[in-house]
């Protein structure tokens, strides 16, 4: 028995090498193709993935986190391109889920696949690959937000820096569909700005 997906792809339904995206694409995380990247799939998935493995006081999505990274970069004078990198810094998790850092850092094949997928995403979305300096800028804000979010969302967050308190970043539960739409609106605005 075989199944047909959008685009006429024929698949063995018992194969475990791909995931089916919200738009019906058979996506192979360890062999990603440019034509299979869809920002709508990314937005759908990360707006429904909870940060910190779901061990939070309330639901707080990867997309909410990504939006805050973008906003913090914008508030602090980053270029529109770096803001876009901030918004998309966790785009791979739309296909490879949000693994907590203590797990991810021990999965070397996963990390290599995630790095490769990021390159494919930049190419698919026709976005210049970030320089080391640009990516460092994004990751510094990513880590800052991680401490702020952990201090607010986790019961103890014993590992986090308790001095990190970002007055402009307020954490609240939001409707998934609203977060998805905000993410896409910001993405489209930034794409138009950098082109």
């Amino acid at each position: 028995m075989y199944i047909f997906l959008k685009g006429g792809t024929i698949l063995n339904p018992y194969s475990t090498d791909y995931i089916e995206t919200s738009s019906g694409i058979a996506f192979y995380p360890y062999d990603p193709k440019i034509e299979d990247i869809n920002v709508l799939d990314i937005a759908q998935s990360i707006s429904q993935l909870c940060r910190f493995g779901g061990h939070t006081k309330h639901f707080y999505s990867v997309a909410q986190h990504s939006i805050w990274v973008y906003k913090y970069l914008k508030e602090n004078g980053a270029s529109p391109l770096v803001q876009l990198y901030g918004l998309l810094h966790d785009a791979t998790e739309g296909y490879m889920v949000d693994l907590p850092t203590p797990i991810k850092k021990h999965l070397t094949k996963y990390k290599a696949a995630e790095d490769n997928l990021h390159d494919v995403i930049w190419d698919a979305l026709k976005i210049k690959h970030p320089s080391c300096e640009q990516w460092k800028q994004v990751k510094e804000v990513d880590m800052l937000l991680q401490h702020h979010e952990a201090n607010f969302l986790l019961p103890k967050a014993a590992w986090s820096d308790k001095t990190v308190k970002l007055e402009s970043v307020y954490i609240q539960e939001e409707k998934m569909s609203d977060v998805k739409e905000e993410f896409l609106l910001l993405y489209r605005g930034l794409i138009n700005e950098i082109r």
Side-chain angles (χ1 to χ4, degrees):
M1 178 175 115
Y2 291 88
I3 57 173
F4 294 85
L5 294 178
K6 288 182 184 174
T9 305
I10 303 171
L11 299 170
N12 177 342
Y14 305 108
S15 170
T16 58
D17 294 338
Y18 71 92
I19 61 167
E20 184 177 345
T21 69
S22 61
S23 64
I25 294 170
F27 189 86
Y28 291 79
Y30 286 88
D31 187 23
K33 304 281 188 274
I34 286 175
E35 61 270 18
D36 292 337
I37 301 295
N38 182 331
V39 75
L40 298 175
D41 285 335
I42 293 168
Q44 172 74 13
S45 178
I46 67 173
S47 67
Q48 297 188 85
L49 284 175
C50 192
R51 293 271 289 157
F52 303 111
H55 297 282
T56 52
K57 292 178 186 172
H58 60 72
F59 182 80
Y60 181 75
S61 72
V62 171
Q64 286 173 274
H65 164 76
S66 297
I67 289 167
W68 278 116
V69 171
Y70 147 79
K71 287 180 178 178
Y72 193 89
L73 285 162
K74 183 177 183 177
E75 285 172 12
N76 288 278
S79 71
L81 182 57
V82 172
Q83 293 171 35
L84 182 59
Y85 294 143
L87 186 68
L88 294 172
H89 78 282
D90 280 338
T92 57
E93 295 178 7
Y95 300 104
M96 299 183 75
V97 303
D98 181 26
L99 287 179
T101 303
I103 298 170
K104 189 186 289 190
K105 70 181 181 182
H106 292 286
L107 301 175
T108 53
K109 279 188 178 180
Y110 180 96
K111 185 66 181 122
E114 185 180 49
D115 290 344
N116 178 58
L117 179 53
H118 244 138
D119 289 341
V120 173
I121 289 171
W122 302 135
D123 292 341
L125 300 178
K126 296 178 173 53
I127 300 168
K128 187 174 97 174
H129 291 225
S131 68
C132 291
E133 188 55 42
Q134 289 168 323
W135 198 243
K136 181 179 177 217
Q137 188 178 358
V138 169
K139 294 309 285 180
E140 284 173 357
V141 173
D142 180 29
M143 292 307 298
L144 190 66
L145 264 289
Q146 182 176 354
H147 287 285
H148 175 73
E149 293 162 345
N151 291 336
F152 185 84
L153 290 164
L154 297 177
K156 294 180 182 172
W159 53 267
S160 72
D161 181 346
K162 302 299 183 215
T163 66
V164 176
K165 291 182 176 69
L166 306 175
E167 298 300 325
S168 64
V169 179
Y170 49 93
I171 309 297
Q172 62 185 17
E173 192 166 6
E174 296 182 49
K175 195 173 170 186
M176 292 177 205
S177 58
D178 291 346
V179 172
K180 175 185 171 182
E181 289 310 310
E182 183 180 5
F183 180 92
L184 289 170
L185 187 67
L186 292 171
Y187 168 78
R188 291 176 187 128
L190 286 166
I191 284 289
N192 289 335
E193 198 171 344
I194 66 168
R195 293 205 171 132

